[in-house]
Amino acid sequence: GKGIKNSWLQYLGITFILALNIYLIDVIFNYLFYYPNINGALQIGLFIFMLLLNLTLLITYIYAYGIAGLYNTNFIQIFKGAFMLTFKKFFTNVLMFLAGILPMLVFFIQLFPSIVMAIGAFILIFGGLSFSIIVTSLFVYAQFDKFINEKSYPELVNKGIFTDEDLQDELDDITQDEIDKLAEQIAQSYDEESKE
């Protein structure tokens, strides 16, 4: 509730700019493909440029939503930070963005029969969107840890993440008796399976 109260105006502003961006994309793509007076090579070049520009902008919006939700900053700083993070590791960002939207590609595959599309849509609604949100959120927050939190908010670094040090602490707490008991249980279950 506190996050919504603090960030709703920023989220609304980011969403408005995103909607405006989508509208401009639609206008430009319609102009490129419905007016025959544009040279074919120029048309392809503009199409590739628009795809790269919009991919960059979509990654920037993902970072902007993350910054608005986690940090208390103004609107200009949100987009400044989002653009910087987008270009810090651009190719890694592109790969993670593609991995995040992979489940949504089912809507763009028109080659399959309608029953396959229906099953794909069901899977997307009940699993794909969650997958996309988790992948992008974890990646974005990991980037925040690396580029923002280490310098400005060290208490937030790896907060809520199970690290290798946590694993080592868990392993240090296990006694030799517990290890021996577990080994004995595994050996017994293996013997029972081999007898069957």
Side-chain angles (χ1 to χ4, degrees):
K2 186 180 177 189
I4 292 169
K5 181 181 172 187
N6 291 341
S7 304
W8 73 270
L9 189 60
Q10 294 163 328
Y11 269 62
L12 192 64
I14 294 167
T15 304
F16 175 76
I17 294 171
L18 176 61
L20 188 63
N21 184 65
I22 291 170
Y23 174 74
L24 289 173
I25 291 169
D26 192 41
V27 168
I28 292 169
F29 275 114
N30 282 334
Y31 179 78
L32 282 176
F33 289 104
Y34 293 116
Y35 289 97
N37 56 348
I38 298 177
N39 182 334
L42 178 63
Q43 199 174 31
I44 292 170
L46 286 172
F47 178 77
I48 292 170
F49 172 75
M50 287 300 298
L51 280 179
L52 290 174
L53 176 66
N54 289 298
L55 180 65
T56 303
L57 288 174
L58 287 173
I59 293 169
T60 302
Y61 290 124
I62 291 170
Y63 276 116
Y65 280 119
I67 291 171
L70 194 59
Y71 303 104
N72 189 13
T73 186
N74 64 39
F75 203 67
I76 293 171
Q77 291 296 336
I78 288 171
F79 273 98
K80 182 179 174 186
F83 273 114
M84 288 174 58
L85 287 168
T86 299
F87 290 106
K88 280 244 188 224
K89 287 189 152 188
F90 183 73
F91 294 109
T92 306
N93 286 331
V94 170
L95 288 175
M96 289 308 296
F97 175 78
L98 293 176
I101 66 162
L102 200 60
M104 294 183 206
L105 296 179
V106 73
F107 282 129
F108 298 102
I109 301 172
Q110 300 294 324
L111 304 174
F112 296 113
S114 58
I115 187 71
V116 175
M117 289 294 289
I119 293 169
F122 178 81
I123 292 170
L124 175 62
I125 290 167
F126 290 102
L129 294 176
S130 302
F131 171 81
S132 296
I133 290 168
I134 288 170
V135 165
T136 53
S137 297
L138 289 176
F139 180 73
V140 163
Y141 292 135
Q143 298 309 305
F144 291 166
D145 276 353
K146 189 182 297 179
F147 295 112
I148 298 172
N149 295 343
E150 278 186 2
K151 297 171 190 157
S152 302
Y153 307 99
E155 70 277 3
L156 293 178
V157 174
N158 287 333
K159 187 171 184 177
I161 303 293
F162 194 79
T163 63
D164 290 339
E165 292 158 5
D166 296 327
L167 178 63
Q168 191 59 46
D169 291 342
E170 292 278 329
L171 292 175
D172 289 343
D173 291 342
I174 298 174
T175 64
Q176 187 61 41
D177 289 338
E178 291 173 323
I179 293 172
D180 292 341
K181 191 182 284 186
L182 181 62
E184 191 176 305
Q185 289 173 348
I186 292 170
Q188 284 176 351
S189 65
Y190 179 73
D191 288 340
E192 290 172 6
E193 285 179 10
S194 61
K195 286 176 184 175
E196 291 176 359

